[in-house]
Amino acid sequence: MGDRYAVIGNPIGFSKSPLIHGKFAKMTGQDVVYEAIEAPLDGFNARVDQFRTEGAKGLNITAPFKLDAFAYANELSESADRAGAANCLKFVGDRIIAENFDGIGLVRDITINLGVKMAGRRVLMLGAGGAARGALLPFLRQEPSELVLVNRTLSKAVALAEEFAGCGTLIVSGYAELADLAEGYDVVVNATSASLRGEMPPVPGNVFRGAKLAYELAYGRGLTPFLQAARAEGVAKLADGVGMLVEQAAEAFAWWRGVRPSTAQVIAELTVPLS
Ligand code: NDP
């Protein structure tokens, strides 16, 4: 039997990770077995202990366990440390190494797959939860002319900006003040969870004016209210988070196996048309 890996979450039934990693293993000829584990909400550590005892080599982590995985690790990569959360673990002897590939997956999808530059551009990010936090450093490393961070609970965005002070031009705003800062964003990213409930973050319509890309982190939901608003304002490119999902999976696969699978075909297969 090949080396064992899994994605762990609760619920886990809808996870695309087994499918994605199965395709990666096939295309790279790697002998791996990849499962889905639904751990009890209060049982992350015990379930991962068991999986490691069985000889497993690594885990992808999805909601709600990214903070548990961070706490479980005994070594942190810079991105996991900065994100304060882990979406991937590697087991090497007694070492439990944490990584967080969500941010780099998002940046790769925007800059490589969608071909939209962030360097020297104005970028607007909505939300200051886990996904936004993980994306901040990778975004700032692209050297946008400015990154504007907006959140409903302003104090969370302020705290993040303090944490990432000195990493680049990061400006914090509330939604109400956004109208004054609004026009002229090149990239608008919805890193809120509003779309999961069919809601729209309260942005003024003019944030989309002239934008090259509106990116929705949620995936598989077709045209969310955010993407509908962007389309109505004439944004040229619309994307959901399926590319981010596949790219972070490819980073994990490469980290574990030392070979990077190509992603274009897998993204195409998983893409749900935005209509
Ligand atoms: P969190 O729960 O950590 O954060 C949620 C964020 O959304 C907070 O900033 C919250 O604001 C904001 N928010 C929620 N509802 C609204 C609303 N109605 N209006 C304005 N703001 C709102 O979630 P995550 O960061 O983990 O996930 C965010 C999104 O990213 C989800 O859609 C998730 O599915 C997606 N995601 C996609 C991935 C991918 O691979 N494509 C990977 C990880 C996440 P406040 O602080 O005020 O509560």
Side-chain angles (χ1 to χ4, degrees):
M1 188 161 106
D3 289 341
R4 286 179 69 192
Y5 300 87
V7 59
I8 189 166
N10 185 331
I12 204 64
F14 294 105
S15 173
K16 301 258 185 273
S17 294
L19 180 70
I20 295 169
H21 281 275
K23 287 178 187 290
F24 287 167
K26 205 167 175 190
M27 75 175 60
T28 58
Q30 292 282 306
D31 187 14
V32 304
V33 175
Y34 193 100
E35 317 159 32
I37 298 175
E38 184 161 294
L41 291 175
D42 60 354
F44 177 85
N45 285 13
R47 190 65 188 83
V48 181
D49 284 347
Q50 182 194 335
F51 195 48
R52 285 175 53 225
T53 309
E54 293 164 3
K57 302 286 187 199
L59 275 175
N60 288 126
I61 296 96
T62 187
F65 295 128
K66 291 183 186 182
L67 299 181
D68 299 83
F70 180 81
Y72 188 85
N74 56 26
E75 272 181 53
L76 301 175
S77 71
E78 187 195 17
S79 56
D81 195 14
R82 278 295 197 161
N87 89 330
C88 194
L89 293 175
K90 179 156 77 173
F91 309 131
V92 186
D94 290 337
R95 296 169 67 200
I96 303 164
I97 312 165
E99 260 289 4
N100 193 317
F101 294 122
D102 281 338
I104 189 69
L106 176 56
V107 165
R108 286 183 65 93
D109 196 34
I110 292 175
T111 59
I112 301 173
N113 301 338
L114 297 165
V116 175
K117 271 180 26 169
M118 286 201 271
R121 303 284 171 83
R122 291 186 80 209
V123 177
L124 174 64
M125 169 122 69
L126 313 176
R133 166 186 275 275
L136 277 182
L137 195 59
F139 268 39
L140 289 168
R141 291 216 164 126
Q142 293 294 307
E143 302 188 348
S145 62
E146 64 181 42
L147 174 57
V148 176
L149 181 65
V150 185
N151 199 44
R152 189 173 56 180
T153 310
L154 189 58
S155 57
K156 279 201 219 164
V158 170
L160 277 188
E162 276 167 13
E163 222 177 289
F164 290 88
C167 299
T169 309
L170 183 56
I171 296 166
V172 169
S173 170
Y175 283 101
E177 298 76 43
L178 193 58
D180 303 333
L181 291 169
E183 296 200 23
Y185 295 107
D186 298 288
V187 178
V188 183
V189 176
N190 184 12
T192 77
S193 55
S195 306
L196 303 182
R197 291 176 301 280
E199 294 169 7
M200 171 75 188
V203 285
N206 61 346
V207 297
F208 294 114
R209 208 156 296 155
K212 294 171 182 61
L213 171 68
Y215 194 105
E216 166 75 76
L217 262 66
Y219 54 86
R221 294 172 177 269
L223 269 187
T224 61
F226 168 82
L227 291 174
Q228 281 171 31
R231 174 175 278 181
E233 291 291 333
V235 177
K237 276 189 191 180
L238 308 178
D240 75 2
V242 70
M244 170 183 177
L245 176 75
V246 175
E247 288 297 336
Q248 66 75 30
E251 293 293 308
F253 194 93
W255 185 49
W256 290 332
R257 306 301 303 175
V259 46
R260 196 176 202 288
S262 53
T263 52
Q265 170 131 11
V266 180
I267 294 172
E269 285 171 16
L270 291 181
T271 295
V272 175
L274 294 176
S275 58

